[in-house]
Amino acid sequence: MTPASPHLGILGGGQLAQMLALAALPLGVRVTVLEPDAGAPARLCATHLHAPYTDAAGLDRLAGCDAVTLEFENVPAAALGALEGRVPVRPGRSLLERSKHRVREKRALREAGAQTAPFVAIETGADLDGALAQVGGRGVLKTSELGYDGRGQARVSDGAGLRAAWQEMGHVPCVLEGLVDFEREVSLSVARGPDGAVAFGPLIENVHRNGILRTSVCLEGDAHEAGAREVAGRVAAAWELQGLMTLEFFQLANGGLLVNEVAPRVHNSGHLTQDGGGVSQFEAQVRAVLGLPLADWRPLLPCAMVNIIGAGGQEPDQQPDWAGIDALPGTHLHLYHKAWRAGRKLGHVNLVAPDPATLRGRLAQLEALIP
Amino acid sequence: MTPASPHLGILGGGQLAQMLALAALPLGVRVTVLEPDAGAPARLCATHLHAPYTDAAGLDRLAGCDAVTLEFENVPAAALGALEGRVPVRPGRSLLERSKHRVREKRALREAGAQTAPFVAIETGADLDGALAQVGGRGVLKTSELGYDGRGQARVSDGAGLRAAWQEMGHVPCVLEGLVDFEREVSLSVARGPDGAVAFGPLIENVHRNGILRTSVCLEGDAHEAGAREVAGRVAAAWELQGLMTLEFFQLANGGLLVNEVAPRVHNSGHLTQDGGGVSQFEAQVRAVLGLPLADWRPLLPCAMVNIIGAGGQEPDQQPDWAGIDALPGTHLHLYHKAWRAGRKLGHVNLVAPDPATLRGRLAQLEALIP
């Protein structure tokens, strides 16, 4: 870090890019985003190149940055191709090609020594035969690409249901994953600089609702953090990560950790790192991508997060109790400046507290304030 | 707070406006600044009206905001006049007229029941006669307006020196303040909503160097906080504050608190509230100005701040040890994107730690890293 102002490019201008930019500015970093949506959240705190991700002039501008990162996994190959050799893109193409494709991702995870649920790649109708039996009789069919927040997924428990689900998905390449009886879902991020230096975020416990993350909690001294770090570090090294990636795990009753999914970026669960006294995941990604010094980032205080998701309309009774949130000690509001829409992530509330018991009590109150 | 996005106008676009905007965005607040400097820090995270503070078109744009606040005290009267009756300006004109003029300020403080150092207003040469004796024989001559960070000030201890200092200042209206033997300098901010609801920041201990704030520290349970709150609350009510103001105090050996100065805004000493797990002073000002719910804001963790001030050149050995700062646990860098210049505030480093002893130890290390 020097007073010379580094320039960071971001592919995408949504709320993750917005929060990356908010974390970058105090580091002396200027930020430019390439994003086709005129009303995208990051426009408020970054130079906004309002153009498609494959726009040649826009990509030329990004190529003039010191490094380029991203806020979503499905970066068009043409965009990556246009930047290649002109500016470091972190994470890079080979990692993105793994993480955006569920079958390649799971294979590459196993090659790196990580465990996953049993799975079968479904590419032709013939792949359906016996697939359920191979994954334990019950499973989740997921499109190999472009799924997120529970979209492009269906639970299946017999052959007819599996065939129907695949037809419903338009016979695109899918993966059938065995259903796992897990104790809880946890996540952990790892950052790795261009020099190979590695740092970790905290272990975070996650609860989903309707396939979308609802609540995350981070308490000190989670017994499974060391194991999750070990897996994340192994994958980061094997995949030659530059930047930051987040592993979602199923934690089994016997303590085993299966990697469910990898995101090549900051993650919704890590938003709670913004207000707990430590470095945030957003600063960690900025640092890793620009080759700035890195250290493990973790909140110094017990903290949690609850997502604000469009609840199906503009009716006041379906909105969060804004006054109640403000009145609850330790809350930090984060709104993304997005138009209200059912099912859309509109913001989140972080909660910090001096001790875990206080956090748990206030978290229950907070959850009751957000529909 | 509702999902309808309030719009905040700010007179000024320096680092305080920049940090106000960075705190406003997550609240769902859009920010527009009126600022004549094309390279001003706030341009990076707010809509920048690049025009003089008295520009009619710029002021029309601010008049369309939900409320207008400021980051400096010397707002031209013409700007305030142009906004009056069209949009709430918080703090308002009568408070600004007090706080920007040292003599009026001190008189208004005393009327509100606060204590100040002894002082004499110097408006004509005749006012100099006997002035030093009235303030105790030794004093500081300060211009009544436009001084900051130690500029427009001179220590005097005899009549000849007083006359010479006043001549040096061009015979402008001044105040001669008696020199106070204080134990330490402390500050405390108070916010007050349009409805009269009041909330307080923490008591902060400050150390100056060459007239400019160098280090601030905030520890829990400062014995003088209650007294400082009492004074601040009394002044806020008497002055009908809307918004946020900061009182700087001299704390005497007997525990008495003399108000040295009032700033009608967030204050350099309060920067440490950004990273301690609580609400920041910037969020508090935004909330007070927009009439959003307010609560006392204080760090949940012991924290401190060291200013980064241009040390006289571009020579590397006069720059902060950036790598050392990054390597010290608990540091949070805040750079303002300003060009390096001797004596200029370029940024600050916040430091948070799990306990006061750790904070003290690391603060000594941090101070050694910043020239």
Side-chain angles (χ1 to χ4, degrees), chain B residues 11-369:
Chain B
L11 284 158
Q15 68 262 25
L16 299 183
Q18 183 188 53
M19 292 185 279
L20 285 165
L22 289 173
L25 285 176
L27 299 177
V29 174
R30 288 175 302 138
V31 178
T32 296
V33 304
L34 179 59
E35 163 62 52
D37 178 359
R43 78 190 186 283
L44 297 167
C45 50
T47 299
H48 179 196
L49 306 175
H50 177 209
Y53 300 124
T54 52
D55 180 73
L59 290 165
D60 282 349
R61 295 274 299 273
L62 288 192
C65 293
D66 294 294
V68 171
T69 190
L70 42 101
E71 60 146 16
F72 65 111
E73 28 279 63
N74 296 303
V75 178
L80 294 175
L83 296 173
E84 206 150 44
R86 302 169 72 195
V87 59
V89 179
R90 294 170 179 152
R93 183 197 286 257
S94 72
L95 193 147
L96 294 176
E97 281 174 355
R98 285 177 186 127
S99 68
K100 79 176 190 181
H101 189 283
R102 292 183 191 278
V103 173
R104 282 203 293 271
E105 180 176 280
K106 285 174 198 300
R107 287 180 181 144
L109 284 166
R110 290 189 172 189
E111 281 165 21
Q115 294 185 289
T116 73
F119 69 93
V120 176
I122 308 292
E123 289 173 357
T124 71
D127 294 328
L128 298 171
D129 299 332
L132 262 178
Q134 287 180 61
V135 303
R138 292 183 310 149
V140 183
L141 185 71
K142 301 178 178 178
T143 58
S144 288
E145 298 197 64
L146 297 174
Y148 67 98
D149 285 345
R151 301 177 198 202
Q153 302 195 5
R155 288 204 175 200
V156 292
S157 54
D158 57 42
L162 174 57
R163 280 178 197 283
W166 196 48
Q167 175 157 3
E168 181 74 22
M169 291 176 191
H171 293 166
V172 297
C174 283
V175 62
L176 178 67
E177 301 176 5
L179 260 192
V180 173
D181 277 328
F182 55 84
E183 281 222 326
R184 59 174 187 160
E185 294 180 84
V186 297
S187 55
L188 183 131
S189 296
V190 53
R192 189 164 172 274
D195 61 352
V198 171
F200 298 95
L203 190 75
I204 297 166
E205 182 178 328
N206 302 313
V207 176
H208 289 76
R209 193 171 69 179
N210 305 325
I212 304 180
L213 182 64
R214 160 74 172 168
T215 302
S216 294
V217 180
C218 178
L219 301 174
E220 268 174 62
D222 194 297
H224 293 85
E225 185 169 283
R229 279 185 174 214
E230 202 273 326
V231 175
R234 201 186 296 166
V235 175
W239 293 11
E240 296 180 326
L241 169 68
Q242 294 190 348
L244 184 145
M245 70 182 189
T246 306
L247 283 73
E248 296 178 30
F249 299 94
F250 296 133
Q251 183 196 309
L252 308 181
N254 67 6
L257 289 168
L258 305 186
V259 182
N260 174 39
E261 206 170 298
V262 179
R265 51 165 172 76
V266 288
H267 190 264
N268 194 162
S269 62
H271 293 357
L272 52 68
T273 58
Q274 291 174 308
D275 294 303
V279 163
S280 77
Q281 65 168 352
F282 301 99
E283 178 171 341
Q285 180 164 335
V286 171
R287 286 180 169 274
V289 167
L290 289 171
L292 303 176
L294 272 176
D296 290 344
W297 67 100
R298 62 158 53 258
L300 297 184
L301 294 161
C303 53
M305 182 221 63
V306 180
N307 264 336
I308 299 174
I309 295 162
Q314 287 285 3
E315 295 82 357
D317 62 337
Q318 292 187 311
Q319 291 216 3
D321 177 348
W322 303 107
I325 293 169
D326 277 338
L328 190 65
T331 54
H332 293 264
L333 192 59
H334 295 265
L335 297 176
Y336 308 150
H337 297 253
K338 288 161 76 175
W340 197 265
R341 200 161 72 198
R344 194 179 218 190
K345 289 179 180 172
L346 299 166
H348 65 275
V349 181
N350 285 336
L351 178 68
V352 296
D355 59 80
T358 304
L359 185 84
R360 291 282 187 197
R362 289 183 183 158
L363 179 56
Q365 295 178 263
L366 178 60
E367 291 189 286
L369 298 171

